[in-house]
């Protein structure tokens, strides 16, 4: 189903039913995302994409070389299927002598992410913290630094819809001295993917 079709299902209150139907299909293959969740990609068409994101201590997290603070090159619409998700906005200020982080550009490909340092150094502070529970929908425009946080020990899943924003870039805050490097996206095997699907299905049914 297309981005627009999934969005309409959410608006009509059919998000849970759509998720169950989508996860029952063949060909779903989950990957460990560097931002700490398991991603189940379901649709990709040009600059639009639909995924289900799962936060669970049942799965070992991927290795992160930067930080959880990032911004997207796309506009986000997120529907919480279950659990609680906090959208923590970051106030990022350009800095030189008192910088704490460097801005990195993230370019994703089939084999993983190319993480490239930029000349921009910054410091940051916590801004608005928004909390969302099951059934809530929130949006986030491209180019807004933030992090998605699930309470420690908590379980949560969301439907994430992304629509590309021309001229924007995927960015992340990382160590000042880190250099250019590549981070692979490691897929879950068939058994782990099936376990992720069962976990989501059990909460949503």
């Amino acid at each position: 189903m297309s981005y627009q079709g999934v969005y309409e299902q959410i608006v009509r209150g059919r998000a849970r039913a759509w998720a169950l139907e989508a996860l029952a299909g063949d060909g779903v293959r989950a990957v460990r995302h560097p931002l700490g969740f398991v991603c189940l990609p379901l649709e990709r068409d040009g600059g639009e994409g639909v995924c289900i994101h799962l936060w669970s201590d049942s799965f070992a997290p991927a290795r992160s070389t930067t930080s959880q603070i990032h911004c997207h090159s796309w506009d986000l619409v997120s529907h919480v299927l279950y659990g609680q998700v906090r959208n923590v906005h970051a106030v990022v200020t350009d800095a030189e002598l008192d910088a704490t982080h460097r801005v990195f550009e993230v370019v994703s490909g089939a084999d993983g992410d190319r993480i490239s340092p930029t000349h921009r150094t910054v410091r940051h502070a916590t801004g608005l913290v928004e909390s969302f529970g099951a059934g809530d929908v929130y949006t986030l425009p491209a180019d807004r630094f933030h992090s998605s946080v699930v309470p420690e020990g908590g379980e949560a899943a969301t439907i994430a819809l992304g629509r590309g924003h021309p001229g924007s870039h995927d960015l992340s805050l990382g160590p000042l001295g880190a250099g250019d490097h590549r981070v692979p996206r490691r897929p879950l095997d068939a058994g782990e993917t099936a376990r992720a699907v069962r976990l989501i299905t059990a909460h949503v049914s």
Side-chain angles (χ1 to χ4, degrees), residues 165-182:
H165 190 274
S168 295
H169 301 276
D170 293 317
L171 303 174
S172 182
L173 302 190
L176 289 169
D180 187 88
H181 60 285
R182 185 176 294 277

Side-chain angles (χ1 to χ4, degrees), residues 111-130:
D111 59 344
D113 300 325
R114 166 66 70 181
I115 315 293
S116 301
T118 71
H119 295 296
R120 186 181 176 192
T121 55
V122 301
R123 61 180 185 275
H124 70 87
T126 299
L128 176 67
V129 179
E130 305 170 295

